[in-house]
Amino acid sequence: DVKVTQSSRYLVKRTGEKVFLECVQDMDHENMFWYRQDPGLGLRLIYFSYDVKMKEKGDIPEGYSVSREKKERFSLILESASTNQTSMYLCASSQGQFNQPQHFGDGTRLSIL
Amino acid sequence: AQKVTQAQTEISVVEKEDVTLDCVYETRDTTYYLFWYKQPPSGELVFLIRRNSFDEQNEISGRYSWNFQKSTSSFNFTITASQVVDSAVYFCALSGGSNYKLTFGKGTLLTVNP
């Protein structure tokens, strides 16, 4: 079974802090994704990566950056956290092209105070 | 642009009832894939099924069945004899063209009461 592991289940940070969310997958997938999930808005794609050191903006990249130095690890960075970034963050990975399903981690519920 | 609409925001049923979750999609791609995911209260999205645009056969897996109709751009999901463990948010999603992105619907919260 594919395993996508997010480093924290719950995280509380303060406004202005630099926040790192880590995601690791164990199935040698090329593609990795970061989403945020908010009530009434569903899942929205922040960034994705289809190869090491490659990244593409999703639908809502503002205020975020990402890093993919190794194939198995994809990090989401909040450069200066703000209260409107309080949300559930979901990481996913997939193999190959768009016909493959994405496999998700358990999510990180991030609160910015 | 791709779009997925799940018009039912919340559905509540009593155990053993059948329930259908609706999904309507829009795409200009001729080749595309449709997915259903389940998100239980624990939070993890679980992949349930994938269907490609050339395969309109219905699919049945235990108490779950899926009805794909290109003529109406719909990919509906039916749970037969629902159980409390089916309580979750269900997402329909679409991918196609040359990109890797999944477009999700906003989800349907299904509550199955004992």
Side-chain angles (χ1 to χ4, degrees):
Chain A
D1 274 356
V2 176
K3 185 67 177 175
V4 178
T5 304
Q6 295 185 228
S7 53
S8 303
R9 197 88 163 96
Y10 300 93
L11 205 53
V12 180
K13 296 292 183 181
R14 298 214 171 269
T15 304
E17 279 192 66
K18 190 169 186 176
V19 180
F20 293 85
L21 302 184
E22 306 288 344
C23 176
V24 176
Q25 51 96 2
D26 66 357
M27 285 303 291
D28 203 36
H29 284 173
E30 290 98 352
N31 311 314
M32 296 189 75
F33 307 81
W34 274 107
Y35 295 87
R36 64 178 283 177
Q37 182 179 12
D38 301 287
L41 297 177
L43 275 80
R44 294 179 292 168
L45 181 65
I46 304 172
Y47 267 98
F48 68 100
S49 168
Y50 53 87
D51 201 352
V52 176
K53 296 193 187 294
M54 305 301 289
K55 60 184 179 185
E56 292 279 345
K57 292 180 180 178
D59 300 318
I60 51 163
E62 296 77 20
Y64 303 94
S65 62
V66 290
S67 172
R68 193 160 180 208
E69 297 296 320
K70 293 185 177 181
K71 191 174 187 180
E72 68 270 18
R73 186 179 297 271
F74 192 36
S75 303
L76 179 69
I77 304 156
L78 286 67
E79 297 290 344
S80 178
S82 63
T83 54
N84 62 12
Q85 292 178 309
T86 291
S87 186
M88 169 72 97
Y89 290 86
L90 292 161
C91 176
S93 72
S94 71
Q95 175 82 345
Q97 299 294 317
F98 63 90
N99 59 327
Q100 297 301 316
Q102 293 180 18
H103 299 271
F104 285 80
D106 288 343
T108 296
R109 191 164 291 282
L110 174 65
S111 296
I112 307 295
L113 304 180
Chain B
Q2 297 179 335
K3 185 178 179 182
V4 176
T5 301
Q6 294 179 255
Q8 305 148 308
T9 306
E10 295 187 36
I11 300 175
S12 182
V13 299
V14 177
E15 209 169 14
K16 298 185 183 175
E17 279 187 47
D18 298 347
V19 58
T20 296
L21 310 182
D22 297 332
C23 173
V24 174
Y25 63 91
E26 295 175 29
T27 181
R28 293 182 180 171
D29 297 312
T30 53
T31 301
Y32 54 88
Y33 286 78
L34 293 159
F35 303 82
W36 275 96
Y37 286 84
K38 173 183 180 180
Q39 186 178 39
S42 58
E44 178 186 357
L45 267 80
V46 177
F47 164 66
L48 295 177
I49 190 172
R50 175 187 63 184
R51 172 67 71 223
N52 75 55
S53 50
F54 299 107
D55 182 1
E56 286 194 72
Q57 281 193 335
N58 290 336
E59 174 120 0
I60 298 175
S61 176
R63 296 184 296 106
Y64 294 173
S65 63
W66 290 269
N67 182 1
F68 175 34
Q69 291 194 341
K70 281 180 82 169
S71 60
T72 56
S73 297
S74 65
F75 185 42
N76 296 336
F77 174 26
T78 297
I79 301 174
T80 303
S82 60
Q83 299 177 2
V84 172
V85 294
D86 295 326
S87 296
V89 180
Y90 291 86
F91 290 95
C92 180
L94 165 70
S95 70
S98 60
N99 66 68
Y100 305 86
K101 293 163 49 171
L102 271 180
T103 299
F104 283 88
K106 291 197 163 83
T108 297
L109 172 61
L110 173 65
T111 303
V112 182
N113 299 297

